[in-house]
Each structure stands twice: as structure tokens, then as C-alpha cells.
Amino acid sequence: MRAKAKAVASDIEQAARVLRAGGLVALPTETVYGLGANAEDPAAVARIFQVKGRPPSHPLIVHIAAADQLDDWVEEVPQAARLLAERFWPGPLTLVLRRGRRVPLEATGGLETVAVRVPDHPVALALLSAFGGGVTAPSANRFGSVSPTTADHVRAELGDGVDFVLEGGSCPVGVESTIVDVTGETPSILRPGGVTREDLEALLGHPVAVPSASGVRVPGQHPSHYAPRARVVLVEPDEILAEAELAQEAGHQVGVFLPPHLADAAVKARAVVAVPGSLSSYARGLYGFLRELDQQGCDLIVASLPAEEGLGLAIANRLRRAAGPRSSA
Ligand code: AMP
Ligand code: MG
């Protein structure tokens, strides 16, 4: 059967029924595809962890239909959270707040805080409205691997583990949401993502802390996540061609992330991805590029980090973690 380009009203209704019955629905959001369950159904939430192979101590994000529902899910909403929600929802921003009673501990990995966001995607919003409750949804991939940005990625990765897949085309942002902890005195970024640090700071009027980033060749603090099958090696931009050639001559099947300033260079490699000049295009394509190089049979990917400004911060974070040490390799 040919996949539909976009979910229609009857698909939304069916997906809402699946959620009510305790099933799992893959849904498109503007960031990546999520694997959704009724947030208030502990057994359904437990199935998410099982299907993803994700440790149950890793908390999930509760997706809601509108900012005015936030108070239903959390204990209290500090002023900064209210401001951020008003400005950035619907959108790729997740707020961590004190857990409201209706959120089961299964969804928060046992934490007394809960992560909440309103996604900016017509299909996700239609599902949330039709369903009426909150939907916990991590990215719809196996734990540790590359996040899906198309419905085909979801089907390829999770297959029968999902009860229903809603079609929504390619995800327009392409990297996950920015997670901001608003439980402390000042908001801090737990994970960089689709809303930039600069945009947060402009609204709040003060600097916002981000998790520290280490240098290019010390991946130790970045256990593997968002990772393709191929090993990812990060080098300085002017070392890319030499590193690729060396690895290819050493017998590797090399995939290269070729930055725009090297677009015309001759590369010795099995496959090459042209990194887009704009950060938003790069973010949108990032996970697809990693999957593509896997599919082309590469066992090693050579890339460099973009400047960590704007969306470059999130892209660099994902590349570092894709290059992190593998526990099982
Ligand atoms: P994913 O669903 O794959 O985008 O992952 C969800 C992310 O949200 C993970 O990085 C979690 O650690 C983070 N998260 C969810 N809830 C919380 C919370 N209460 N406190 C801190 N981080 C959270
Ligand atoms: Mg994920």
C-alpha cells in the first residue's frame, strides 16, 4: 500500500481511538516523529520504553494541545515559564516544571518534575485536540539511534512495535526541542534544540546557561546517542579531506559531511553529503544525512562541527553525541 502524504481526518480519529485503548501512535511534530501514548496510562507509557529499548529511568515529554492547558499538568507555573510558553508555544521548546498529580511517575522516570510542550505541527495538534489529553512521546526510534524525520524512518525502525503511524511529511525543524528547566531560580538549558539560546536570552533579558560542550576530539562526556551504525569522527574543517582520504585508504567505507566552503573539492570517499549553507536546512537534513550514509554502506563518517551559534548549538550537540563512545561496539 502506498503511504499517504498527510494524515486525513479519519486517520486522526483512528489514532485518537488507539491512544484511548492504550496503544502507541507515531506522530509527526515539527522537530522529529514521536512515539506517543496516553500520558495518564502507566501501562501504555511502559510500552513506549519497551518498544524503544529505552531505560525506564529516562523521562518523557508530555505533549499538550495548547498553552492554556499547562496548569493542568504541573504543580505551579513560575513567571518565566509563563513568558516562555506564551512566546514559543506552539513550538520546539520543552519546559521542565514540577510534576502535577495526574502525571504518572512512569512518564517522568520517577522524577518529581515533568517536561511539557505544545508541538507546532498541524497533525500533532489535530491528534492532541481529538484525543483531549496529554500524549507522552519520545522520539520514535530505538534508544540511542538516529531520530526519525519521516514516517518511513519510523516504520523502518520500529515496524510492528507501533499500532498506528500518522503521516505528516518531513519534519520542518529536524532536531529535537530545546529543553529548559524552569524549576530553579533562573532558567537553564538542559538540551539545545529548535529554539535558540539567543532567542531565549532576548526574551528573558539575561544569559541562559547551557550544558558545557567539550572539545572536538574528547567525546568522553558524550555517551553515544543520535548515532548511525557508522562510527562518526569529528575533525576540524580543514582536516576533513585528509582524514577522509586516510581512512578510505586504510580500508574504511567513508562517508563525508562536506562543508559548503569545500563544495567543489575532490573527495576520496564512498559517499558524500553536501552540508547546506543555512543552519536551518542543515538541522532539517541532519538525521536524514546520517541515515543516508548508513544506507550507502559507510562504516565511518567524517564531519566537523558548525559554529555553536543559533541552531549550530543543537547541530553540534547531536554530532558530538553521535560521535560519542559506543557501549556495545
Ligand atoms: P526524547 O523524547 O528522545 O526527545 O527525549 C526526551 C528528553 O527530555 C530527554 O533528554 C529527557 O532527559 C528530557 N526530559 C524529560 N523529562 C525531563 C525532566 N523532568 N527533567 C529533565 N529532563 C527531562
Ligand atoms: Mg530521542
Side-chain angles (χ1 to χ4, degrees):
M1 194 181 80
R2 294 275 300 283
K4 281 192 266 308
K6 284 267 161 73
V8 295
S10 57
D11 296 324
I12 301 285
E13 283 308 322
Q14 192 179 341
R17 278 197 298 275
V18 169
L19 289 176
R20 281 185 211 111
L24 301 186
V25 172
L27 66 150
T29 78
E30 81 280 32
T31 60
V32 302
Y33 274 72
L35 179 62
N38 176 0
E40 294 172 271
D41 179 343
V45 174
R47 252 191 83 205
I48 291 181
F49 290 94
Q50 194 196 336
V51 168
K52 272 184 71 87
R54 175 164 165 148
S57 58
H58 283 233
L60 307 176
I61 295 170
V62 177
H63 295 73
I64 57 175
D68 63 11
Q69 296 177 3
L70 177 60
D71 296 76
D72 302 341
W73 295 91
V74 302
E75 192 65 31
E76 60 177 344
V77 183
Q79 188 53 30
R82 194 78 69 191
L83 208 63
L84 289 164
E86 268 170 25
R87 167 70 180 81
F88 295 109
W89 283 357
L93 176 74
T94 296
L95 297 175
V96 172
L97 293 144
R98 288 179 52 207
R99 178 178 71 95
R101 284 201 198 183
R102 71 193 283 188
V103 184
L105 286 167
E106 282 80 359
T108 70
L111 295 174
E112 286 303 330
T113 53
V114 60
V116 186
R117 92 173 181 105
V118 180
D120 187 13
H121 192 290
V123 175
L125 289 171
L127 175 64
L128 290 166
S129 296
F131 174 58
V135 172
T136 38
S139 52
N141 53 281
R142 299 276 307 164
F143 180 66
S145 80
V146 178
S147 304
T149 49
T150 69
D152 282 343
H153 295 165
V154 177
R155 282 187 280 263
E157 188 134 348
L158 298 181
D160 292 343
V162 193
D163 299 308
F164 195 79
V165 179
L166 278 172
E167 286 283 347
S170 299
C171 301
V173 174
V175 292
E176 293 81 354
S177 59
T178 304
I179 303 180
V180 175
D181 183 349
V182 272
T183 60
E185 292 228 323
T186 52
S188 64
I189 295 176
L190 301 180
R191 173 180 74 184
V195 169
T196 66
R197 173 192 202 168
E198 292 84 348
D199 284 344
L200 295 171
E201 291 180 341
L203 178 75
L204 295 169
H206 59 73
V208 177
V210 286
S212 67
S214 59
V216 165
R217 282 186 184 274
V218 279
Q221 299 98 306
H222 301 282
S224 177
H225 210 97
Y226 313 107
R229 276 198 313 276
R231 193 158 65 84
V232 178
V233 174
L234 299 176
V235 299
E236 297 298 334
D238 60 4
E239 295 170 353
I240 284 187
L241 296 177
E243 183 81 22
E245 183 168 345
L246 215 64
Q248 188 75 26
E249 278 168 6
H252 283 291
Q253 299 300 322
V254 178
V256 177
F257 269 38
L258 202 61
H261 74 280
L262 294 175
D264 296 327
V267 196
K268 291 225 175 83
R270 180 178 181 103
V272 172
V273 160
V275 170
S278 92
L279 287 173
S280 57
S281 301
Y282 191 1
R284 197 176 308 129
L286 177 66
Y287 292 135
F289 299 154
L290 292 171
R291 281 174 191 273
E292 192 181 314
L293 293 180
D294 265 350
Q295 265 158 22
Q296 299 213 30
C298 299
D299 63 56
L300 191 131
I301 295 173
V302 179
S304 60
L305 299 177
E308 293 181 58
E309 292 155 7
L311 277 175
L313 188 66
I315 295 169
N317 170 272
R318 305 306 188 271
L319 284 173
R320 276 207 185 83
R321 296 199 58 188
R326 309 276 166 99
S327 50
S328 58

